[in-house]
Amino acid sequence: MSVDGMEIPKLAHILYLDMVGAFALHGFNNLVVVHHQSSKTSLIFDIGLEEVPKAGCILHPLFKTSLNCSDSLKAKFNHEFKLYSPSWVMFQPNFITDASVGVFTSVSLDPVEAGNYIEDKYQYLRFLYNRCIPKSTFLEILRHYVVDNKLKLKQLAHVFNWFAKAIAKRSLPVLRYSNSGVKYSLTAELYEEITIEQGDVVGNLFLLPDDYTLGQKQRFLQYMLRYLTALRENKLEVQPYFLNEILVPTMIIMGQLGRLHQLLLYRIIPDSKQLAFQLLSHEAKYSPFVQLALDMLSRLGTATEEIVEILIARKLVVEAIRFLENSQSADKVNGLKLIESAWKENRLIRYAVFSYFLERGSKVRNCNTNSGQFEEFFKKFETLFDDEEIKAARRDFHFMSTSGNEQ
């Protein structure tokens, strides 16, 4: 049965009852319910389960149950209301009429109560996910299973993939069909999956209490990485809060520094300024974080001053100037600040840095060669090396250049 009423119905599944006698069908809440009269049982089929085979294959019931008369319906009768009566007539999607007692009522199923019949926790979660139940109810049950370690890692990865696929599906264009020319049509009831956003998963599963043991934190770290994989596989943008405040700090606490290095190196975790500075704060634990942070800031292209500050703080003023030259960003930093930093180093670095700004001073922000500060540094610059040292350096340079040409 199609949603728009235009498509010709096709055989999808064969329901295996393993019973004989009169039966009737209901289809509601994305379920197929088969009522069997003689056994007074109702068979529940969920063709949306992942374990369900392809079209045309036999499908066994998920579980069996029996109808119960609600208290409100019982209160309206002085005598017993006979269930599975031969006088019942079924109407779609979930209505029953009993002409013998003059009753027109409906059938409902509480998805949460189905947990009493479905032993497999993973299958029960999928059953709930296929139903129209409150998001909070589903998340509460999921959290209970995750905290109590009722699900295998592979199963939880599938659950995360449900969430990611549903979000990705919402971003696709919706095709709408016109039903002009169709006088009568039987259309399927519209069904929408539960939408579990990233904030729902993080807030309900990944905010770990302080009293969790090391083993519990390690287990939840595996869950976080699986969730990250599901988001990336479905080409979804990962929320910065999940990465910067939850995943990365947990990996650092658990000592998974090499693994974090790989995730950053291959950009499984996307670049951000906040993350770069967070890595710098843990330099003492893992020195490669500095280079990872610098590479990240460089790729962002909006952190020139921050990169220079980081290099200056590590007494790498020459590397800072080289970075400015390569990125053609010399006009975006304070030249005098670089000169001041160079003056804290040996006289070779002082001479090289000041010579650079002496040639390019007019092109560098806040580095006017006519300013008083620049004049002070110029006087110091002239006393760095005497004439004899400069002549000797030039001779050595000329000799090295000549030797190189002869070779």
Side-chain angles (χ1 to χ4, degrees), residues 134-149:
K135 181 196 300 187
S136 58
T137 302
F138 179 84
L139 288 171
E140 183 180 352
I141 295 172
L142 174 62
R143 175 173 174 76
H144 173 68
Y145 287 171
V146 170
V147 171
D148 292 347
N149 201 15

Side-chain angles (χ1 to χ4, degrees), residues 261-281:
H261 188 150
Q262 294 298 313
L263 293 176
L264 295 168
L265 188 64
Y266 293 102
R267 303 188 199 177
I268 304 300
I269 297 178
D271 299 337
S272 73
K273 274 189 179 182
Q274 181 182 352
L275 178 56
F277 290 123
Q278 186 176 1
L279 294 175
L280 290 171
S281 67

Side-chain angles (χ1 to χ4, degrees), residues 1 10 17 21 75 83 91 102 110 112 129 142-143 210 220 222 231-232 254 262 275 316 387-388 405:
M1 186 166 59
K10 297 178 182 179
L17 304 181
L83 299 174
F91 297 95
D110 184 357
V112 178
Y129 190 71
L142 174 62
R143 175 173 174 76
D210 295 333
F220 272 84
Q222 300 302 318
L231 294 174
R232 298 289 291 180
M254 299 304 298
Q262 294 298 313
L275 178 56
L316 299 172
D387 293 340
E388 291 299 324
N405 292 332

Side-chain angles (χ1 to χ4, degrees), residues 185-214:
S185 62
L186 182 62
T187 59
E189 181 182 357
L190 292 177
Y191 165 73
E192 293 184 3
E193 293 177 313
I194 304 173
T195 304
I196 309 294
E197 304 287 354
Q198 292 185 46
D200 299 322
V201 176
V202 173
N204 285 273
L205 298 182
F206 297 152
L207 297 180
L208 307 183
D210 295 333
D211 59 351
Y212 267 20
T213 65
L214 196 64

Side-chain angles (χ1 to χ4, degrees), residues 17 19-25 34-43 84-88 90:
L17 304 181
M19 293 178 175
V20 295
F23 66 89
L25 284 173
V34 180
H35 306 287
H36 188 250
Q37 187 182 59
S38 59
S39 65
K40 295 186 178 181
T41 57
S42 296
L43 288 71
Y84 296 93
S85 169
S87 59
W88 278 10
M90 306 292 191

Side-chain angles (χ1 to χ4, degrees), residues 33-86:
V33 182
V34 180
H35 306 287
H36 188 250
Q37 187 182 59
S38 59
S39 65
K40 295 186 178 181
T41 57
S42 296
L43 288 71
I44 312 299
F45 294 87
D46 185 358
I47 61 175
L49 293 178
E50 293 176 343
E51 293 77 9
V52 172
K54 298 297 182 181
C57 295
I58 294 176
L59 181 68
H60 294 269
L62 180 61
F63 63 91
K64 298 178 182 179
T65 185
S66 295
L67 295 176
N68 293 315
C69 186
S70 65
D71 294 336
S72 59
L73 188 58
K74 288 179 181 179
K76 297 178 181 179
F77 292 90
N78 297 324
H79 55 278
E80 182 181 357
F81 183 74
K82 187 178 180 180
L83 299 174
Y84 296 93
S85 169

